[in-house]
Amino acid sequence: MLGLAKRVKAKILQASTSEVYGDPNVHPQTEAYWGNVNPIGPRSCYDEGKRCAETLFFDYWRQHKLRIKVARIFNTYGPRMHPNDGRVVSNFIVQALLGQDITIYGDGSQTRSFCYVDDLIDGLMRLMATGDQVTGPINIGNPHEFTILQLASMIVEMIGARSKIVRQPLPENDPRQRQPDISLAKEKLSWEPRTQLKEGLVRTISYFEKLLAEDSARKILTRE
Ligand code: UDP
């Protein structure tokens, strides 16, 4: 893709990730932080793959003056998430709507900061509209941080579900905390997220309600 962008002289976006910070020792994470990633762990292929992609983008920028834009995207949620991809927001909503147990990995004290998809898209569009001197990396995320337990309680309450919360083992190298410092996005893009978690969850829950009303989706998820 970098070679193609060079040939056709295109501006190119890398959808990078907060995973480049690994299990961070610096909190909140600024773009200047180099991260704390286990190179041989079970989630390393994603983390290191994205880190390597950032390296290649900056090599092309240095060597070929390619117009790059690198966004580090923090946990994003919203309508059209796949109900089965295993991420926390979709898992909890689907479980609550189906009255299944809510699966908390570990003790639920780990934190994430959830960004509504429309806010993310707005940030990415603003990044693409910046002058060539703005390469990033630039954090795009919502700095409002929640524990996973708080998220579970919020979703159960909003849905009025009878699900019970159960504990499952914490995956290896699961980051303990994550919160973006978005000072750079504020400065360079005049951007900050506008959607509060509760408001975004209302729209996401409504999406999944409609989806689960379809027989085919319900059958797959309940293995009927
Ligand atoms: N998680 C959880 N239950 C689930 C799915 C995820 O407790 O059913 C936890 C997971 O261990 C992590 C957090 O929720 O601490 C966010 O997980 P997700 O996969 O959505 O994003 P990531 O770990 O990549 O930030």
Side-chain angles (χ1 to χ4, degrees):
M1 293 306 288
L2 285 162
L4 178 63
K6 181 182 161 218
R7 185 153 55 78
V8 301
K9 300 189 170 28
K11 199 185 314 186
I12 183 166
L13 169 74
Q14 190 209 351
S16 187
T17 169
S18 54
E19 293 280 332
V20 301
Y21 301 122
D23 189 6
N25 294 322
V26 166
H27 194 73
Q29 295 81 54
T30 66
E31 293 82 353
Y33 177 49
W34 289 357
N36 176 35
V37 175
N38 173 0
I40 56 165
R43 50 199 295 154
S44 311
C45 57
Y46 184 68
D47 300 8
E48 297 288 23
K50 289 285 193 177
R51 288 166 66 95
C52 179
E54 286 198 10
T55 308
L56 292 172
F57 265 67
F58 276 86
D59 285 343
Y60 266 74
W61 171 71
R62 272 184 293 265
Q63 274 195 10
H64 305 294
K65 309 225 171 341
L66 190 66
R67 293 180 298 150
I68 61 162
K69 307 282 177 194
V70 177
R72 291 186 178 153
I73 300 171
F74 283 63
N75 296 68
T76 304
Y77 71 99
R80 294 178 184 270
M81 288 180 91
H82 196 284
N84 239 351
D85 75 0
R87 282 182 298 161
V88 70
V89 173
S90 42
N91 268 15
F92 287 179
I93 292 177
V94 169
Q95 289 164 343
L97 287 174
L98 294 175
Q100 297 172 344
D101 292 346
I102 307 284
T103 53
I104 292 211
Y105 304 158
D107 64 6
S109 64
Q110 71 271 35
T111 68
R112 295 292 186 275
S113 308
F114 300 99
C115 185
Y116 188 65
V117 62
D118 290 9
D119 285 331
L120 167 76
I121 301 299
D122 179 37
L124 292 178
M125 287 173 67
R126 284 168 189 254
L127 174 60
M128 289 311 277
T130 53
D132 293 349
Q133 77 288 356
V134 180
T135 57
I138 190 156
N139 291 337
I140 307 276
N142 189 320
H144 204 146
E145 187 181 5
F146 293 86
T147 67
I148 295 306
L149 201 53
Q150 283 174 324
L151 177 74
S153 310
M154 201 184 272
I155 290 175
V156 167
E157 193 190 312
M158 287 173 73
I159 292 178
R162 275 170 306 183
S163 305
K164 61 176 194 300
I165 290 181
V166 297
R167 299 277 159 81
Q168 290 190 2
L170 188 69
E172 205 180 322
N173 297 145
D174 196 271
R176 289 285 322 145
Q177 53 181 8
R178 185 180 289 152
Q179 181 191 30
D181 181 319
I182 59 164
S183 312
L184 197 62
K186 281 185 183 162
E187 181 198 325
K188 302 281 182 199
L189 313 178
S190 307
W191 174 88
E192 63 183 313
R194 283 182 296 200
T195 315
Q196 300 294 324
L197 182 58
K198 210 158 201 174
E199 191 186 337
L201 285 177
V202 168
R203 292 183 218 161
T204 313
I205 291 169
S206 150
Y207 167 77
F208 278 112
E209 271 168 347
K210 288 196 194 95
L211 187 77
L212 291 175
E214 292 168 19
D215 267 2
S216 48
R218 202 178 177 91
K219 272 188 185 136
I220 293 170
L221 290 162
T222 55
R223 295 186 185 88
E224 276 167 11

